[in-house]
Amino acid sequence: MTLLKGRIGSSLRRSSVFALGWVLSACTTLGPNYQEPEVQWLAQWQPDLYGQLSSENSQEAIDLAFWWQLFDDPVLNQLIHISKQENIDLRLAGLRILESRAQLGIVGSTLYPQLQQLSGSVIAAESRRRGGLLPDKDQGLINYQAGFGLGWELDFWGKYQRSIEAADAAFFSSVANQQNMQVLLSAQVTDLYFVYRTIEHRIAIAKSNADIQQRSFEITEKIYQEGQESELDLQQAKAQYLATLSTIPKLEMSLTTTRNALALILARPPGEIAELTVSSVKSLPKVDMVNLQHIPAHLLIRRPDIRSSAWQVAIQSAQIGIAESDYYPSISLSGTISWSGSTADAASDNGLIGVGPGFTWNIFDHGRIENNIRVQDARFQQTLERYQQTVLSAAREIDDAAIAIVKTSEQFVILEQAVQASERALSLANTRYREGYSSFQRVLDAQRAVFSRTEQLVLNRGEHVRSVVSLYKALGGGWTEHSIDELMPPPLKEIMEKRTDWGELLTTPNIESTENTAAELEPEYGASQYDQ
C-alpha cells in the first residue's frame, strides 16, 4: 500500500508539472496584437461615380457575385461557368488553400511535446580471446535496449502561439487569394468575350464596306472600258477597295488570338470554341446605369485582394512576437524511460526513468536578436504601406472605370449621329455622281467616312462594355464562397486521395482551429468605420 501511495503521489507530481506548463504557456504572449489597418480617408470617400449610382428604389440592385448577368447573354454565362470549373489558375489557388491548411496543422502541433521519440536497438557480438595469461575463450552475446524520450518546450513567451496566428492568417489569405482569382477570372472571361464580339463586328463592317467599294470599283471599271471615265477614277476606286479588304486579315488574326486567350482560360487547347459559334453576331450591350447595394467605400474594403493584403499584415505582426521571444530563455520539460540488457554472463537488466525541467538562454547574441526584431518590424510597416497602396489603387480603378463609362456613353451619342450623317452623305454623293453633278472623288470620300465612323462606333461600344467590366472588377465582384468540393474537382480529389492520406482536409470545408482566430481577426463590417 505504501508503494502504491508513492506511485500515486509521483504521478500527481508529474501531472502537476505538466499542468503548470500549460498554465505558464498561456501567461505571456510577446509582440503586438493584430489590429485591422485603418484607412483614414475611406470613411469620407463617398463618390457618386459620376452619376453612375442609380436609386435602389427605381431598379433592382445587381448581385455583385454574378454581375455579368446584367448583359443578359447566355453564352457569356456559360463560358464563365465553365471557366470556374476548369481554369487551372483557379485550381492552383484552391490547392494553395489545402497547402495552407496542412501547414496550419504542422504549426499547431508545436503546442504539444515537440519530441516524442521511441528508440531501440539490438546488437549481436562475438568475442574471441587468444594468448596471454588468461585462458582462451570464445563468447557470443546480444545487447539490447529500448527507450522513450519526451521533450516539451513550453510556450512561455507565446512564440508558438504567434506562429499559429501567422499560419491562421496565411490560411485566410489563401482563401482571399482564391476569391480574388474568381474576380479576375470573371472579368477576364467577360472582357475577352466582348473583345471577340467587337472584332466580329469590325470584320462584318469591313466586309460590308468592301462589298460596297467592290461594286463601285466594278462600275468605274466598266465605265472606263467604255471610254467614259479617266483611269484616275478607276485606280482610286480600286485602291480604296483593296485598302479596306486588307484590314480583314489582321482583324481575323486578332480574332484568333483573342479566341486562343479565351481557350487558355477555359483550360482548352487552341482551336474553335463551340460556345462562340452558337449564336450569330448581335449588337454589343449598352449599360446606362450601375446598380449597387452598398456605397463604394463599403464595397472597396471587401475586395478580396484588400482582404488578402490585410491578412499579410496579420502574418507579419505575429513575426514580431516570434522574434522578441528569442530575448528570453527557452524553458522545457524532458523525460525519458529506457531499458537495456545483455545476454552476457553476469550482466543485469537496467531500467531508467527520468523527468525534469531545463532551460537554454542565449545571453550573448551581439545584437542579432535586437536587429532581427527591427527587421520584422520594418517588414511589418512595409505590409501596412502595401495595404494602404492597395486600397488607393482600388479606389483609383473604381474612379477610372466610372468616368470611362460616362464618357464612352457621351461619345456614343455623338458617333451615332456622325454615322447617320456619313451614310446620308454617301447617299447624296452617289446620287450627284450618277446625275453628273459631282466627281467620283466625293463618292470615295463618303465611302471612306462611312467605314471610319461605323468602325469608331463599334470600337466605342466595345470600350463602353470593357469599362463596365473594369468597374465591377474594381468593386471586387464575381466571387462566391467555395466548398472543398468546388475547390477540387472530383477526379482531382480522387487522384490526390489515392496518392496521399489527406484525412478530413479533402472532405470538410473548414477546420476548427481557424474558426476562433477568424472571429478574433476578421473585422465586423457591420460595425466598421466605413459604415458611418
Side-chain angles (χ1 to χ4, degrees):
M1 181 65 69
T2 303
L3 179 61
L4 179 61
K5 288 181 179 180
R7 289 179 177 176
I8 294 175
S10 177
S11 298
L12 289 175
R13 285 193 297 272
R14 286 196 296 269
S15 300
S16 299
V17 170
F18 281 99
L20 178 61
W22 279 108
V23 172
L24 291 177
S25 66
C27 287
T28 306
T29 304
L30 298 174
N33 293 321
Y34 171 71
Q35 294 182 348
E36 179 76 8
E38 292 186 8
V39 182
Q40 299 296 333
W41 55 268
L42 195 55
Q44 289 74 42
W45 188 65
Q46 307 294 340
D48 65 351
L49 300 186
Y50 304 97
Q52 285 298 298
L53 292 177
S54 64
S55 172
E56 293 186 17
N57 297 327
S58 61
Q59 299 184 49
E60 183 180 355
I62 294 295
D63 186 351
L64 272 181
F66 307 98
W67 57 265
W68 56 87
Q69 294 180 357
L70 66 90
F71 296 118
D72 193 24
D73 192 319
V75 176
L76 174 61
N77 296 341
Q78 185 181 8
L79 290 173
I80 291 181
H81 177 71
I82 294 172
S83 69
K84 291 198 172 183
Q85 290 182 323
E86 304 296 336
N87 182 259
I88 295 177
D89 286 331
L90 188 61
R91 193 173 298 176
L92 288 172
L95 288 169
R96 281 189 283 270
I97 292 178
L98 290 181
E99 178 187 347
S100 66
R101 289 174 67 176
Q103 186 65 37
L104 182 57
I106 294 174
V107 177
S109 68
T110 58
L111 287 180
Y112 302 94
Q114 294 88 16
L115 175 65
Q116 303 171 70
Q117 192 173 70
L118 184 65
S119 62
S121 66
V122 176
I123 299 176
E126 183 176 347
S127 63
R128 294 183 179 183
R129 188 172 61 206
R130 297 289 186 272
L133 299 177
L134 296 176
D136 296 345
K137 183 178 181 180
D138 294 341
Q139 184 179 17
L141 58 88
I142 298 176
N143 290 326
Y144 45 86
Q145 62 177 5
F148 175 73
L150 181 71
W152 188 5
E153 180 183 347
L154 303 178
D155 195 20
F156 194 81
W157 316 112
K159 175 174 66 175
Y160 296 129
Q161 184 60 42
R162 290 299 188 198
S163 297
I164 293 175
E165 288 180 13
D168 273 328
F171 169 72
F172 292 122
S173 178
S174 68
V175 173
N177 287 332
Q178 193 270 349
Q179 293 168 350
N180 188 51
M181 182 55 65
Q182 293 184 56
V183 172
L184 297 176
L185 190 62
S186 301
Q188 286 175 346
V189 173
T190 307
D191 186 63
L192 286 172
Y193 175 76
F194 283 116
V195 168
Y196 187 88
R197 293 305 187 201
T198 300
I199 297 173
E200 282 186 326
H201 276 278
R202 294 179 64 191
I203 292 174
I205 291 171
K207 288 182 177 180
S208 176
N209 281 274
D211 290 341
I212 294 173
Q213 293 166 9
Q214 183 181 19
R215 287 195 295 270
S216 296
F217 166 60
E218 291 172 349
I219 291 172
T220 56
E221 185 178 32
K222 183 178 180 181
I223 294 175
Y224 170 72
Q225 290 174 350
E226 293 175 353
Q228 300 179 22
E229 291 286 354
S230 67
E231 186 182 358
L232 177 60
D233 289 342
L234 172 64
Q235 296 302 330
Q236 286 178 329
K238 182 179 180 180
Q240 181 153 295
Y241 162 62
L242 294 176
T244 301
L245 204 62
S246 69
T247 63
I248 297 176
K250 185 175 182 180
L251 289 172
E252 290 175 338
M253 181 180 67
S254 298
L255 190 71
T256 300
T257 56
T258 302
R259 184 197 64 199
N260 289 342
L262 187 57
L264 178 62
I265 293 178
L266 299 175
R268 297 179 182 178
E272 294 294 333
I273 297 178
E275 291 81 3
L276 294 177
T277 60
V278 171
S279 60
S280 58
V281 179
K282 58 182 180 179
S283 61
L284 295 171
K286 183 177 185 296
V287 180
D288 295 320
M289 199 67 68
V290 175
N291 307 317
L292 299 175
Q293 295 175 336
H294 303 289
I295 57 177
H298 190 99
L299 293 172
L300 185 68
I301 206 67
R302 289 184 173 182
R303 273 183 39 156
D305 60 331
I306 292 178
R307 300 307 318 135
S308 177
S309 183
W311 288 122
Q312 293 301 315
V313 175
I315 293 172
Q316 192 55 42
S317 174
Q319 295 300 321
I320 298 176
I322 296 173
E324 288 184 2
S325 66
D326 290 338
Y327 263 137
Y328 302 94
S330 172
I331 302 173
S332 61
L333 295 174
S334 61
T336 182
I337 300 175
S338 64
W339 174 73
S340 63
S342 175
T343 59
D345 297 341
S348 61
D349 292 338
N350 301 303
L352 173 66
I353 299 177
V355 63
F359 76 95
T360 58
W361 195 356
N362 294 323
I363 57 176
F364 299 112
D365 63 281
H366 307 287
R368 180 186 61 82
I369 297 174
E370 182 179 30
N371 283 298
N372 184 41
I373 295 172
R374 292 168 180 167
V375 167
Q376 302 305 326
D377 187 68
R379 291 176 178 173
F380 173 70
Q381 191 61 41
Q382 291 174 46
T383 60
L384 284 174
E385 297 301 327
R386 278 194 291 268
Y387 176 83
Q388 298 291 333
Q389 184 70 13
T390 302
V391 178
L392 282 169
S393 297
R396 176 195 170 183
E397 290 173 11
I398 290 176
D399 200 72
D400 288 351
I403 191 62
I405 293 174
V406 173
K407 295 307 176 183
T408 52
S409 294
E410 293 176 1
Q411 188 183 30
F412 178 80
V413 175
I414 299 171
L415 287 173
E416 198 171 34
Q417 294 174 356
V419 169
Q420 293 172 359
S422 298
E423 290 174 345
R424 177 59 177 163
L426 176 60
S427 176
L428 292 173
N430 282 326
T431 301
R432 291 178 63 83
Y433 173 69
R434 286 195 301 268
E435 295 176 354
Y437 292 109
S438 63
S439 66
F440 187 67
Q441 183 62 46
R442 299 290 293 274
V443 176
L444 295 176
D445 291 342
Q447 288 178 349
R448 190 160 43 245
V450 169
F451 180 32
S452 175
R453 302 293 182 272
T454 306
E455 188 176 48
Q456 287 179 8
L457 184 65
V458 171
L459 287 171
N460 168 268
R461 184 52 50 231
E463 289 177 6
H464 177 79
V465 172
R466 298 188 74 181
S467 298
V468 174
V469 173
S470 296
L471 178 60
Y472 281 103
K473 172 177 171 283
L475 292 170
W479 66 270
T480 57
E481 293 183 356
H482 280 182
S483 66
I484 192 66
D485 291 331
E486 293 171 308
L487 291 176
M488 292 290 103
L492 182 58
K493 282 179 59 178
E494 185 177 348
I495 292 173
M496 295 179 68
E497 286 174 337
K498 287 182 178 179
R499 187 172 57 233
T500 304
D501 181 9
W502 279 88
E504 297 182 351
L505 290 185
L506 289 179
T507 57
T508 55
N510 292 305
I511 45 181
E512 294 182 358
S513 60
T514 64
E515 291 178 357
N516 293 334
T517 308
E520 293 171 2
L521 300 185
E522 189 73 86
E524 288 293 332
Y525 293 116
S528 75
Q529 59 175 320
Y530 310 113
D531 295 330
Q532 304 301 322

